[in-house]
Amino acid sequence: MKRSIFKGMLLVSVLSLLACAVLIMDVLYGYFDKQANEELHQQAASIARGVESAGISYFDGFQTPERVTWMTAAGTVIYDSQADVSQMENHSDREEFAEARDTGVGEATRYSSTLAEKTIYYALRLEDGSVLRVSQTQYTVLTMLMGLATPVTIVLLCGMLLSAALSSAVVKRIVKPINAINPEQPDLDADYEEIAPLLRKIHTQNQEIADQMQTLKKQQEEFRQLTAHMREGLLVADSSGQVLSWNQAVLEILGVPEPSDTRNIYEFNRSEPFRLAVEQALAGQPAEQVLSLGQRSYRLLASPVQEQEAVTGIMVLLLDVTEQEHREQLRREFTSNVSHEMKTPLTAIHAIAGMLVQDVIEPKDVKKFAGDIYHESSRMIALVNDTLRLSRMDEQAVTEQKEPVDLYDLAEAVIARLRMAAGEKQVSFSLTGTHVMVSGVYSMLEEMLYNLCDNGIKYNHEQGTVTVSVLAAGREGVLMVQDTGIGIPPEDQDRIFERFYRVDKSHSRAIGGTGLGLSIVKHTAAYHNAQVQVSSKPGEGSTFTVIFPETLEC
């Protein structure tokens, strides 16, 4: 309090002194400035009359504290009382000269930041068109204030000392009865009427605190135990199921408004998993359930809080496991699809092998059936390799290092590998564009482009075409594969990159493949921070575009 009063009094004193000083300086400076301007005008008019009557001879023996300059109508200096006219430049660009030449009278003020001075110029146009200028140098307000720094500082110091002495005396008198108050037993007959309500409130609160202390200590200990392992949504209830505490997360998860008073825990959620977990926890046994709320899944953990083998309450935690459940579902689907895809070739191999063992195949047909075994086993090997490759990409376990890869050269190599397959299908290849360098794993990019071009052949018509384009769009590299095949329906275009997803299962199995080609394309593009776009119309063909975010200099 003493410090606050001292600061307040000191601030008032300083501001008052400064305000008075500024006001006085402003009034005095304005007055003297006006007087100086009037004197300058009179001096200029007097000199102008003398010059018009006597000419240049008027300045013989001429002395004045003001600086006098006489200039021709063109701005050439004829006379200057303080400088050699031969060394002076033309003054036609001076503000006061131009104004006087045009209107008869000109004024200007210029400041010197280095000398903290200002110069007032007053110019008159004479009858012959020449211009007479009289100037006077004055100190600025800042210079005058700096001159008063010492006396102002002394006055401020005196004000500070006086404020300190007064505030110390006032504070001691004010705080003496306040310091004498006993918070445990306040004297209601206070010296100051202003603090009597405060003393009565302290007395009332002391009584309430005394009544609640024991209860508060017990609740604090229970709360500490119940919230020790809180992670996400939290509900704390007593042994009767009345909620003692909750957090904002549980209200958002369960979609309930913030309760205004104590509520039963079943009012937060009435689903069967929630009820079973709570009942089991109240019986003294930990419980775990999965709670589905809209599109989200939550693991519900209900734990009893026991004291001397008696359940005093329960703690319910809700943990968001939506992503975990989604990954588990994908794992199950993937396992099921892999098993299904491998079952078909294994069944064929098993059947043919059984026929061979039973010797029911004619010798002339053995080669044909051996070829079927070779074809089905190759299909299984391709499926296993693709599955392992996707697994490594999922786990970011790619061992190859990235290197500069020319997409145009890569496209030429892939097309060369597929020339024979394209010829058998009577599909022609074409390559357009330019050389574009990107940073990537060559084998992965090669397989990505191979899968796109291979699909362009498999799902094409006879006499169809597959066009591979390599382009540079600013800093981006674009790899485009366009075919004239059967196309993809709009409703399937968002799912074709899913593992084992086939638009036409009968057609896809007839032409072979593992069903993982486009999934490998998507994962390869993601590994290289690239984007895959597809544009297709049934019966007109498809265009797959891979956009790399950054290219290298060739």
Side-chain angles (χ1 to χ4, degrees):
M1 182 179 292
K2 180 178 180 180
R3 184 178 299 175
S4 299
I5 295 176
F6 170 76
K7 289 181 179 180
M9 297 182 66
L10 178 60
L11 181 62
V12 171
S13 302
V14 172
L15 291 178
S16 299
L17 290 172
L18 290 178
C20 291
V22 170
L23 182 61
I24 293 172
M25 288 301 300
D26 181 70
V27 174
L28 292 177
Y29 188 84
Y31 173 79
F32 288 117
D33 185 66
K34 181 179 179 182
Q35 289 292 107
N37 283 334
E38 291 179 357
E39 292 177 3
L40 191 64
H41 293 178
Q42 294 174 2
Q43 182 75 359
S46 174
I47 296 174
R49 288 193 296 270
V51 170
E52 286 179 340
S53 62
I56 192 66
S57 61
Y58 174 79
F59 295 107
D60 294 340
F62 178 79
Q63 291 184 351
T64 181
E66 291 80 13
R67 183 177 181 178
V68 179
T69 305
W70 188 19
M71 298 158 285
T72 66
T76 303
V77 179
I78 304 173
Y79 169 82
D80 189 278
S81 62
Q82 297 182 4
D84 184 3
V85 297
S86 61
Q87 302 297 323
M88 298 180 67
E89 59 184 2
N90 189 283
H91 281 41
S92 60
D93 59 341
R94 305 299 172 88
E95 179 184 354
E96 67 278 1
F97 173 85
E99 185 178 359
R101 182 186 58 193
D102 296 339
T103 63
V105 177
E107 292 182 278
T109 301
R110 287 190 277 276
Y111 292 86
S112 171
S113 58
T114 56
L115 300 177
E117 296 177 339
K118 74 172 183 177
T119 303
I120 302 173
Y121 297 91
Y122 181 77
L124 293 174
R125 186 183 62 198
L126 305 184
E127 293 180 355
D128 60 354
S130 62
V131 176
L132 179 73
R133 185 186 70 180
V134 180
S135 62
Q136 184 182 71
T137 301
Q138 299 178 355
Y139 289 110
T140 62
V141 176
L142 179 61
T143 305
M144 298 177 68
L145 288 175
M146 292 299 294
L148 294 176
T150 300
V152 170
T153 302
I154 294 174
V155 173
L156 288 176
L157 290 175
C158 293
M160 292 173 62
L161 293 175
L162 181 60
S163 298
L166 291 176
S167 62
S168 178
V170 171
V171 169
K172 288 180 179 179
R173 183 174 180 181
I174 292 176
V175 302
K176 182 178 180 180
I178 297 178
N179 290 334
I181 295 176
N182 184 359
E184 300 296 331
Q185 296 178 348
D187 184 7
L188 299 181
D189 297 327
D191 294 340
Y192 298 140
E193 296 180 356
E194 292 79 4
I195 64 174
L198 173 63
L199 298 177
R200 288 194 293 269
K201 183 177 291 187
I202 293 175
H203 178 72
T204 302
Q205 288 181 345
N206 286 342
Q207 292 179 339
E208 293 176 354
I209 292 173
D211 296 336
Q212 297 175 359
M213 276 300 293
Q214 189 65 30
T215 304
L216 180 60
K217 288 180 180 180
K218 183 178 179 180
Q219 290 179 348
Q220 286 178 338
E221 181 61 22
E222 292 176 352
F223 185 81
R224 186 191 65 79
Q225 295 180 16
L226 294 172
T227 59
H229 305 288
M230 184 181 68
R231 289 185 290 177
E232 291 192 18
L234 171 69
L235 278 175
V236 180
D238 59 18
S239 57
S240 64
Q242 296 300 311
V243 176
L244 303 176
S245 180
W246 60 85
N247 63 356
Q248 186 63 31
V250 78
L251 301 179
E252 297 174 358
I253 291 172
L254 299 178
V256 296
E258 184 170 353
S260 57
D261 52 7
T262 303
R263 294 173 56 178
N264 190 278
I265 193 169
Y266 297 112
E267 296 181 30
F268 283 79
N269 189 271
R270 300 182 184 275
S271 65
E272 184 71 10
F274 187 88
R275 183 181 60 80
L276 291 176
V278 171
E279 289 179 352
Q280 186 174 341
L282 289 173
Q285 297 295 324
E288 180 176 345
Q289 294 284 342
V290 175
L291 194 62
S292 297
L293 299 171
Q295 302 296 322
R296 313 297 297 179
S297 296
Y298 296 89
R299 178 178 298 167
L300 190 154
L301 302 174
S303 302
V305 178
Q306 296 178 332
E307 185 175 353
Q308 297 180 354
E309 298 183 358
V311 177
T312 59
I314 62 171
M315 178 173 62
V316 177
L317 289 176
L318 292 173
L319 308 177
D320 192 339
V321 293
T322 305
E323 297 301 326
Q324 180 180 344
E325 290 288 323
H326 180 65
R327 287 195 297 269
E328 180 63 21
Q329 180 181 357
L330 291 178
R331 186 193 64 78
R332 291 193 296 267
E333 291 178 356
F334 180 72
T335 302
S336 175
N337 287 329
V338 170
S339 301
H340 179 75
E341 293 292 334
M342 294 187 70
K343 182 178 180 180
T344 301
L346 280 174
T347 301
I349 293 173
H350 182 269
I352 296 172
M355 295 171 65
L356 289 172
V357 169
Q358 296 174 8
D359 199 19
V360 297
I361 299 177
E362 297 290 334
K364 63 177 181 177
D365 296 327
V366 169
K367 184 175 182 179
K368 174 182 176 298
F369 282 99
D372 291 340
I373 292 176
Y374 177 80
H375 174 75
E376 295 297 337
S377 62
S378 298
R379 180 179 171 188
M380 284 185 60
I381 292 172
L383 177 62
V384 171
N385 288 335
D386 286 348
T387 302
L388 292 176
R389 191 175 295 106
L390 277 173
S391 178
R392 286 196 300 269
M393 285 190 286
D394 283 340
E395 298 174 0
Q396 298 293 315
V398 179
T399 58
E400 295 90 342
Q401 297 295 321
K402 289 185 178 180
E403 59 181 337
V405 178
D406 189 324
L407 295 180
Y408 192 89
D409 292 344
L410 177 68
E412 285 185 328
V414 171
I415 291 173
R417 288 175 56 191
L418 290 169
R419 288 288 185 190
M420 183 176 296
E424 293 175 356
K425 190 71 179 289
Q426 297 184 17
V427 174
S428 60
F429 265 108
S430 63
L431 175 61
T432 64
T434 183
H435 292 272
V436 175
M437 300 290 293
V438 298
S439 176
V441 178
Y442 184 90
S443 60
M444 295 176 65
L445 294 176
E446 182 184 35
E447 184 172 12
M448 178 186 71
L449 182 56
Y450 184 93
N451 286 332
L452 292 176
C453 293
D454 187 44
N455 285 347
I457 297 173
K458 290 179 179 177
Y459 298 97
N460 216 322
H461 304 289
E462 291 188 359
Q463 308 300 326
T465 61
V466 176
T467 303
V468 181
S469 303
V470 181
L471 307 171
R475 295 289 298 174
E476 296 179 339
V478 180
L479 179 62
M480 185 183 303
V481 179
Q482 183 176 12
D483 65 62
T484 58
I486 60 177
I488 305 169
E491 62 272 15
D492 295 310
Q493 292 180 16
D494 291 336
R495 300 195 60 189
I496 58 175
F497 295 102
E498 296 179 10
R499 301 175 187 185
F500 300 108
Y501 183 80
R502 300 177 187 271
V503 177
D504 185 348
K505 293 181 174 56
S506 60
H507 182 73
S508 298
R509 297 198 185 279
I511 63 176
T514 64
L516 297 174
L518 288 180
S519 294
I520 293 175
V521 169
K522 178 183 177 182
H523 280 72
T524 301
Y527 181 81
H528 291 84
N529 297 320
Q531 295 181 351
V532 182
Q533 299 175 355
V534 58
S535 174
S536 181
K537 290 184 179 180
E540 298 182 10
S542 304
T543 300
F544 289 85
T545 305
V546 182
I547 302 175
F548 295 86
E550 187 173 1
T551 59
L552 304 177
E553 294 185 2
C554 296

